[in-house]
Amino acid sequence: MNPSHHLGELQYAIMRVLWSRGEATVSEVRDALADERERAPTTIATMLKKMEKKGVVAHRADGRLFVYRPTVTEPQVHRTMVAELTDRLFSGDVTALVSHLLEEQSIDADEVARLRELIERRSAEAGARDADGAEPGERGDA
């Protein structure tokens, strides 16, 4: 069974610290988050224990200290959380999600151009898959 990569606000903030540092103690995480909001070390320690049960972090002992490290990547978490959001709010309809973002968010001309490039690239990849049934890179044209 895959661990849940859905993270709350504090959990995601903790993961950002771990992704940027590679590993950190409770005190190091607390200090890194101090600019956002002061939190008790016990709050951070409790959250890290919960995150370890989810399978998104692991720890090693360094003397009496636990040093935590991420066990999932930021893209993995993004994929899971966006998929859950899409399922929950848009019944899995990716087009509805993108449509909502385009209608509700301020997007400048450069971002529109980047979106067009992404759509064109994905369309070309889909066409290549449809042409021979293989995923790009599976035909030896990586």
Side-chain angles (χ1 to χ4, degrees):
M1 181 177 175
N2 289 338
S4 171
H5 297 156
H6 178 83
L7 304 174
E9 186 177 339
L10 177 56
Q11 292 175 335
Y12 189 74
I14 291 169
M15 289 301 289
R16 283 194 330 260
V17 172
L18 296 177
W19 287 322
S20 70
R21 294 176 179 229
E23 63 179 21
T25 65
V26 169
S27 294
E28 291 169 337
V29 170
R30 182 181 164 269
D31 291 346
L33 298 176
D35 290 345
E36 296 175 23
R37 188 171 134 204
E38 195 65 29
R39 291 180 178 87
T42 54
T43 301
I44 302 297
T46 298
M47 195 57 65
L48 281 162
K49 286 177 190 171
K50 288 180 180 182
M51 294 166 69
E52 190 164 27
K53 285 182 183 175
K54 275 187 177 187
V56 297
V57 301
H59 78 272
R60 66 177 172 81
D62 184 9
R64 293 177 42 179
L65 294 175
F66 282 2
V67 181
Y68 290 88
R69 69 184 183 287
T71 59
V72 295
T73 65
E74 194 167 7
Q76 287 173 313
V77 170
H78 288 176
R79 263 192 304 279
T80 300
M81 290 180 71
V82 169
E84 288 175 2
L85 174 79
T86 304
D87 286 343
R88 187 171 48 247
L89 297 181
F90 301 98
S91 300
D93 186 346
V94 174
T95 302
L97 169 67
V98 173
S99 177
H100 173 80
L101 292 172
L102 290 171
E103 291 172 9
E104 298 296 325
Q105 301 295 315
S106 175
I107 300 175
D108 66 29
D110 288 341
E111 290 172 315
V112 170
R114 283 184 28 227
L115 289 169
R116 279 194 179 113
E117 289 174 17
L118 289 170
I119 290 169
E120 288 172 10
R121 185 171 62 225
R122 288 290 252 174
S123 293
E125 290 171 0
R129 279 194 306 270
D130 292 345
D132 66 8
E135 292 288 328
E138 290 181 353
R139 295 179 304 270
D141 63 349

